[in-house]
């Protein structure tokens, strides 16, 4: 196969975004190798919430930088990403008012349009809400959700115009090394020589890291959702929601249904090569139960669908983005931890800066470095509402 300047492994949101930005930055021969098809990993099944509410500044910066893309997709990428800025409400445990204020102050410093509103104001925005357990609700009027498949299709189309090559239904079987540097990749359809390889392989990344003797502590885990029809009396004033009290997130889908995911039931680690694209009845029941706690009327809702896929958790539930010290020319975005659709435009831009200029300037990637675990400095957020990391992370 033809040699490349950069090989990107994986055509999800982060792989397509990285290839798009590399080509835009003038890198001539960018090849994306994908074992299946566009969006076949977590991306195609993503809830695709585009929200700014994180409990740490580096992820807020990635999300805020990415929001500009979702808001101006046509000019910045071309095509349509299906962004729906319906507004977002975040419900946080009421015993941590200082955490809420600290997080919102940090977000506002970055530039995010966010404030707290009263439960009554929240009910005006969506009359079907139950707000008896909160005193303040975080509100982001400019957030919402996008169409994850439309997002990567338009990125892929733009990339094709910029000269990026795709190799679909082609699996990278190993990354090739010469001494202490990357030499290319071996695939099921031949070898591609390249001085730079970027592993963005989602839940399958361990299969590429293991032969390189790189262990980032990544654990593949199922990501799951259910869809419920709005009962007759549900208000159609439906926004996007993250409920950290009931460990649930939700957004509208299909004009009359709610897409909901919950982390109230533990997801055992899974095998990304053998997983179900459907969910169990127990999981559907858990979704309906948690959804009904915030929207009591949804107890009477008809289930209309569900799906499952695999995500990759990092040891501290924050992504690992950057260069891997073990081999020159090896980069990754790994351990998406179920929260890296909304940040993918900025992740691709920052990885490109790192690869082409040696340093990410749009958002500092140092906090996302792979070495933080070996340094004994895994990520801990100060104002995390008393929750362990990784809960309701969308
Ligand atoms: C149900 C659900 C809801 C979610 N909701 C949200 C949300 O609301 N907001 C948000 O920001 N994020 C959300 N996420 C998370 C988000 O979707 C993921 O973090 C993001 O899509 C990861 O993108 P990626 O490109 O890193 O990985 P993926 O989309 O998983 O792509 C990796 C690709 O690599 C390919 N690949 C793997 N190994 C190889 C190989 N050896 N050779 C070639 N190709 C290979 C795979 O086939 C796959 O296509 C959600 C995820 C799920 C599952």
């Amino acid at each position: 196969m033809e040699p490349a300047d950069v090989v990107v492994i994986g055509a999800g949101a982060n792989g397509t975004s990285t290839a798009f930005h590399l080509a835009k930055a003038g890198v001539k021969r960018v090849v994306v190798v994908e074992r299946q098809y566009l969006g076949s990993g977590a991306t195609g099944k993503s809830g695709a919430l585009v929200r700014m509410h994180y409990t740490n500044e580096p992820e807020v910066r990635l999300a805020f930088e990415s929001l500009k893309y979702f808001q101006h997709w046509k000019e910045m990428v071309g095509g349509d990403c299906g962004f729906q800025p319906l507004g977002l409400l975040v419900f946080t445990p009421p015993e941590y008012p200082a955490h809420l204020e600290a997080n919102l102050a940090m977000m506002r410093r970055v530039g995010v349009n966010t404030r707290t509103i009263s439960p009554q104001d929240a009910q005006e925005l969506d009359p079907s809400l139950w707000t008896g357990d909160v005193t303040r609700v975080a509100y982001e009027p400019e957030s919402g959700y996008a169409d994850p498949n439309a997002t990567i299709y338009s990125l892929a189309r733009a990339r094709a115009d910029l000269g990026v090559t795709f190799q679909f239904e082609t699996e990278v079987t190993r990354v090739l090394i010469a001494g202490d540097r990357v030499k290319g990749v071996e695939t099921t359809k031949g070898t591609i020589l390249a001085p730079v390889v970027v592993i963005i392989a989602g839940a399958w990344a361990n299969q590429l890291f293991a032969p390189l003797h790189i262990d980032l502590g990544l654990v593949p885990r199922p990501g799951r959702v259910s869809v419920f029809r709005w009962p007759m009396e549900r208000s159609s004033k439906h926004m996007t929601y993250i409920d950290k009290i009931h460990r649930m997130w939700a957004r509208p889908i299909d004009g009359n249904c709610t897409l909901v995911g919950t982390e109230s039931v533990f997801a055992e680690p899974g095998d990304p090569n053998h997983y179900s694209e459907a969910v169990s009845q127990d999981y559907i029941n858990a979704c309906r139960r948690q959804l009904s706690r915030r929207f009591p009327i949804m107890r009477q809702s008809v289930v209309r669908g569900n799906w499952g896929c695999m995500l990759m958790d990092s040891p501290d539930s924050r992504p690992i983005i950057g260069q891997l010290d073990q081999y020159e020319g090896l980069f990754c975005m790994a351990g998406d931890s179920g929260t890296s659709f909304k940040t993918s435009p900025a992740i691709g831009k920052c990885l490109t800066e790192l690869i082409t200029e040696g340093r990410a300037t749009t958002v500092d990637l140092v906090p996302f470095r792979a070495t933080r675990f070996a340094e004994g400095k895994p990520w801990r957020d100060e104002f995390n509402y008393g929750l362990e990391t990784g809960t309701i992370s969308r």
Side-chain angles (χ1 to χ4, degrees), residues 2 22 27 60 66 76 81 93 105 120-122 144 179 217 223 234 241 259 291 320 325-326 337 345 369 373 375:
E2 292 288 309
L22 283 166
V27 180
V60 170
S66 300
M76 293 180 80
C81 66
Q120 295 73 25
D121 288 343
R234 202 242 182 265
Y241 312 91
L259 179 70
L291 185 64
I320 298 166
D325 287 347
Q326 289 85 344
S337 302
R369 70 197 178 284
F373 306 107
E375 292 162 11

Side-chain angles (χ1 to χ4, degrees), residues 8-17 32-51 54 144-145 148 152 167 169-174 186-187 199-205 207-208 221-225 242 249 251 259-261 283 307-312 333-344 347 393-394:
V8 176
I9 308 174
N14 288 297
T16 52
S17 168
V32 182
V33 186
E34 166 55 53
R35 61 198 274 275
Q36 290 189 307
Y37 45 86
L38 268 178
S40 55
T43 300
K45 300 198 178 86
S46 183
L49 263 56
V50 175
R51 50 99 183 180
Y54 278 94
Y145 64 91
I152 55 171
Q167 292 287 343
E169 298 182 8
T170 307
E171 182 164 353
V172 173
T173 44
R174 72 190 166 108
E186 180 188 87
T187 81
I199 300 179
I200 314 186
W204 297 263
Q207 294 163 216
L208 294 164
R221 224 178 270 284
R224 301 170 287 184
V225 295
I242 291 184
W249 57 269
R251 58 113 151 151
L259 179 70
V260 53
Y283 186 75
W307 61 79
C309 70
M310 294 301 289
L311 299 164
M312 190 67 120
M333 150 63 201
D336 70 270
S337 302
T339 178
S340 304
F341 169 79
K342 74 187 73 58
T343 45
S344 59
I347 289 173
S393 52
R394 304 301 172 236

